Amino acid sequence: MDGLDALKVKYLTAVANAADEAGLEEVRLAALGKKGEISLKMRDLGGMEPTQRQAAGAMLNVLKDEIDAALRAKKAALADTALDERLRSEWLDVTLPGRPRPRGTIHPVSQVMEELTAIFADMGFAVAEGPQVESDWFNFDALNIPPEHPARQEHDTFFMNRAEGDDRPPHVLRTHTSPVQIRAMAEQGAPIRVIAPGRVYRMDMDQTHTPMFHQVEGLAIDRNISMANLKWTLEEFCRAFFEVPSVELRFRASHFPFTEPSAEVDIRCSWEGGQLKIGQGDKWMEILGSGMVHPKVLTAAGVNPDEWQGFAFGMGIDRIAMLKYGIPDLRAFFESDLRWLRHYGFAALDMPDLAGGLSA
Ligand code: DAH
């Protein structure tokens, strides 16, 4: 059979020159496809003498195998080149330094709110909320502080401006979290166990007062709740919060219009070398106000005082944050000084939980 050598050169060159898989496939079709040159020559074998056919058939098969092998080898080589190219373009230097972690920190007030929420949640208290711009009925009247009551003056209230002729009820920036007691009872009725952490406002500014600060209100109403339950709850809280094995609380008789009887609560502590230690020593530090919810307060919130009774307390969050974390000046809490925030702030992923140790 003539021309086989020329065919061999032609296709082996074409294979060698194919630039990509598509080009290679074209070469394959031209040589070995149904209508390819080699395939057509195979067909010619039918019209040959048997001896001629045998010789030509053998030569054609060898040529076909040779071209086929060249095609496969080239295909593999093209795939290797493509992979090398991808590896080169997708190269990544794993020794580059990592991205710096976020610089922000959790503010001590946020941290303490999370901590106390975790502790009270463990005792069955849900979190309740109320508005910071509050009607003076919720902030005062419903809490047994009528307009002429001297306690109103003591609160150094910020009053909201009202346009001439606006006869909506007067509003104030809430002076304490106690109005949330009323809202929670009015919404949920009794029995109820809630805490209400949040911002409160008073017109006051010195080393220990800022016009905005944080309180947490506590409220537990049921059929038989007593001062003993209040004492146990507060002791449990202080032990968990200050992370000391024992705390001692002192209940001092006091007066709040919304509780009867009322008590202020002090915690035993010591001051040595400027270091405050909770749970030991011979000093007492006031940390909260509390008492048995006044029947008039229950009535204002739609809860029947002949059927239900319970305790409430209000505690300064900034205060206990200062005590726990040894932060000396209250005003620095709200100055947004980055150095202070980095020093006293907490890592973003250290969410406090009781099992892991609150502040660990
Ligand atoms: N609302 C009081 C304050 O701001 C704190 C307080 C005292 C809250 C006694 C209470 C309570 O619920 O029973 O000073």
Side-chain angles (χ1 to χ4, degrees):
M1 195 174 248
D2 298 331
L4 291 189
D5 283 344
L7 273 184
K8 177 174 167 179
V9 172
K10 173 178 172 187
Y11 284 110
L12 291 186
T13 311
V15 167
N17 290 339
D20 52 25
E21 282 206 38
L24 199 61
E25 179 63 5
E26 269 175 39
V27 177
R28 190 187 70 79
L29 287 172
L32 307 178
K34 250 190 198 160
K35 293 190 178 137
E37 259 186 297
I38 309 289
S39 310
L40 292 177
K41 286 235 179 268
M42 290 280 194
R43 256 186 246 169
D44 292 345
L45 293 175
M48 289 181 180
E49 293 289 308
T51 45
Q52 238 186 336
R53 186 196 302 153
Q54 222 175 9
M59 284 197 293
L60 263 180
N61 271 331
V62 169
L63 177 58
K64 185 183 154 204
D65 288 348
E66 246 178 309
I67 295 178
D68 193 48
L71 282 165
R72 284 172 197 279
K74 178 74 178 184
K75 192 169 179 181
L78 283 175
D80 280 353
T81 315
L83 181 62
D84 284 347
E85 184 53 39
R86 246 186 85 192
L87 288 175
R88 230 190 326 278
S89 67
E90 293 175 12
W91 180 79
L92 177 73
D93 184 353
V94 293
T95 67
L96 280 174
R99 297 210 173 92
R101 67 184 197 93
R103 295 265 204 88
T105 56
I106 304 289
H107 195 282
V109 170
S110 304
Q111 174 79 13
V112 164
M113 282 198 191
E114 292 291 341
E115 291 178 11
L116 59 87
T117 303
I119 298 170
F120 280 112
D122 199 51
M123 293 194 263
F125 286 76
V127 171
E129 286 182 323
Q132 293 174 39
V133 176
E134 185 58 284
S135 84
D136 75 350
W137 187 83
F138 278 105
N139 196 79
F140 294 120
D141 302 60
L143 289 160
N144 195 29
I145 314 175
E148 67 286 357
H149 198 289
R152 284 218 184 193
Q153 275 70 58
E154 284 162 24
H155 275 223
D156 301 316
T157 311
F158 286 108
F159 295 93
M160 303 306 289
N161 237 344
R162 272 195 307 171
E164 195 87 31
D166 184 344
D167 53 5
R168 282 176 299 176
H171 278 65
V172 300
L173 289 180
R174 69 178 180 196
T175 57
H176 50 179
T177 43
S178 301
V180 186
Q181 288 183 29
I182 308 294
R183 290 181 175 274
M185 282 191 281
E187 277 164 28
Q188 301 171 35
I192 186 172
R193 246 183 286 175
V194 288
I195 57 164
R199 295 180 167 204
V200 300
Y201 302 84
R202 290 187 200 178
M203 233 182 309
D204 209 348
M205 183 72 175
D206 59 34
Q207 198 177 345
T208 53
H209 297 91
T210 49
M212 186 282 298
F213 57 106
H214 300 83
Q215 284 189 337
V216 58
E217 195 75 12
L219 175 73
I221 304 290
D222 210 320
R223 295 185 190 275
N224 297 308
I225 297 223
S226 70
M227 289 290 271
N229 301 118
L230 169 66
K231 185 162 187 279
W232 180 86
T233 303
L234 293 176
E235 280 170 357
E236 273 307 289
F237 168 75
C238 288
R239 209 178 357 257
F241 179 76
F242 291 109
E243 298 176 67
V244 289
S246 67
V247 290
E248 202 181 326
L249 297 182
R250 180 173 78 175
F251 282 62
R252 254 183 311 106
S254 182
H255 176 263
F256 299 101
F258 30 89
T259 43
E260 180 55 41
S262 302
E264 281 177 303
V265 177
D266 307 331
I267 190 165
R268 187 185 280 283
C269 62
S270 72
W271 274 107
E272 269 160 36
Q275 266 269 283
L276 177 75
K277 291 221 173 72
I278 299 287
Q280 60 186 64
D282 54 6
K283 299 266 184 301
W284 295 94
M285 170 112 38
E286 184 196 323
I287 55 167
L288 59 93
S290 64
M292 297 300 290
V293 179
H294 197 291
K296 281 192 179 170
V297 172
L298 295 174
T299 305
V303 168
N304 182 357
D306 296 329
E307 222 181 309
W308 306 99
Q309 64 183 34
F311 64 75
F313 61 86
M315 184 160 49
I317 292 182
D318 318 277
R319 189 92 193 270
I320 60 171
M322 291 169 76
L323 291 181
K324 179 167 179 180
Y325 293 112
I327 306 172
D329 186 350
L330 174 70
R331 285 173 299 191
F333 272 67
F334 310 118
E335 282 172 353
S336 304
D337 181 330
L338 281 176
R339 291 162 304 178
W340 188 93
L341 290 168
R342 281 193 196 118
H343 181 75
Y344 288 110
F346 292 81
L349 295 176
D350 287 351
M351 290 307 273
D353 71 84
L354 285 181
L358 277 178
S359 54

